[in-house]
Amino acid sequence: MIIYATKQTVDRYGIRMPDEFENPRVRALAHSTYERERGDGLLEWGAKLFYFDRRKCIQFCNFASKLTVILADIKKNELKFAPNAIAENLFNIYSDDKKMTALLERFFAEHPIACYSKLTDRSIISTLNRTQSDYLYDGYRLYDFIEDNILHTLKLNKVINKENPVSKNVNGKREYFFPAEEFAALLKARYAPGKGRLFM
């Protein structure tokens, strides 16, 4: 998994790029992950910091499907757990689909390492900005998911991906789709029979 972060996100969290690790083995692992997985939209995520109730939150957006995961109140020393939290949210989104959870297990087993890079993809930057302003209302939407003083981000991430349509241009025409459906279709196609991978 490659997480491409905005400049503000990199600066506020002190995120290190693959060539910035001092340990040569860690640096080599990060480099090999980046070289192997870049260009594979299912493994690439944009990341953008925003604030809710003065707490740091991060919006992650999958390049291929625009599936979005919101993590709230993420402190600097907790950022290392973000890839696991993304996976946890994906399993929750597809908790009622045994085929998808089986494919997700295979997917994450094949790609267990995460590294960071700088976000330059204008389309993903635009999607992150639009989601933050139009859907999240710059964070105020999160109040709708507070119950008994607890912010339920698992519920938020299921709703945003199953009920909030997004768009993309296909042959000059704008097409709308739901990110959860798109991610599922792409993952199932990835492991379809005849592609040399297990399909369940």
Side-chain angles (χ1 to χ4, degrees):
M1 177 190 295
I2 305 172
I3 299 174
Y4 299 88
T6 64
K7 184 180 186 304
Q8 182 191 34
T9 309
V10 170
D11 292 344
R12 296 292 171 86
Y13 281 96
I15 296 172
R16 286 188 284 181
M17 301 297 111
D19 60 353
E20 294 176 343
F21 288 100
E22 295 179 4
N23 186 309
R25 293 180 64 188
V26 174
R27 188 167 61 246
L29 183 60
H31 264 295
S32 64
T33 299
Y34 178 78
E35 292 299 328
R36 183 174 60 254
E37 298 185 353
R38 68 175 175 167
D40 185 340
L42 277 177
L43 293 167
E44 296 179 301
W45 296 77
K48 185 177 189 291
L49 169 72
F50 70 97
Y51 289 88
F52 169 65
D53 196 25
R54 292 181 292 183
R55 292 177 171 86
K56 292 188 185 74
C57 304
I58 306 178
Q59 178 196 167
F60 297 90
C61 178
N62 181 255
F63 275 31
S65 65
K66 296 192 178 181
L67 188 138
T68 296
V69 172
I70 307 297
L71 301 183
D73 195 16
I74 303 298
K75 298 173 178 60
K76 187 174 180 178
N77 64 350
E78 296 173 333
L79 186 65
K80 59 188 175 185
F81 302 116
N84 288 339
I86 291 172
E88 178 188 6
N89 275 277
L90 288 175
F91 279 105
N92 182 64
I93 289 168
Y94 299 105
S95 59
D96 57 351
D97 186 337
K98 291 183 178 180
K99 182 182 291 185
M100 273 300 293
T101 56
L103 292 179
L104 284 169
E105 288 178 3
R106 178 69 182 271
F107 184 63
F108 288 118
E110 289 180 355
H111 306 282
I113 307 299
C115 68
Y116 285 85
S117 188
K118 295 177 181 178
L119 180 62
T120 58
D121 187 294
R122 292 183 178 180
S123 175
I124 295 300
I125 292 171
S126 176
T127 298
L128 289 164
N129 289 338
R130 190 164 51 251
T131 300
Q132 181 177 330
S133 62
D134 296 354
Y135 184 82
L136 296 175
Y137 300 136
D138 289 319
Y140 287 99
R141 169 82 70 172
L142 275 64
Y143 283 111
D144 296 341
F145 294 88
I146 294 177
E147 299 174 12
D148 299 322
N149 293 318
I150 298 173
L151 175 58
H152 295 269
T153 52
L154 287 173
K155 181 179 179 181
L156 164 65
N157 289 322
K158 183 172 280 193
V159 169
I160 193 174
N161 289 293
K162 290 194 171 188
E163 300 179 10
N164 180 50
V166 296
S167 67
K168 62 181 175 182
N169 286 320
V170 179
N171 298 323
K173 295 182 179 180
R174 185 167 295 278
E175 293 187 0
Y176 289 85
F177 60 94
F178 293 97
E181 293 178 2
E182 183 75 359
F183 186 91
L186 292 171
L187 191 65
K188 289 173 181 177
R190 184 186 189 95
Y191 292 102
K195 293 203 172 181
R197 293 187 171 104
L198 176 66
F199 183 76
M200 302 179 72

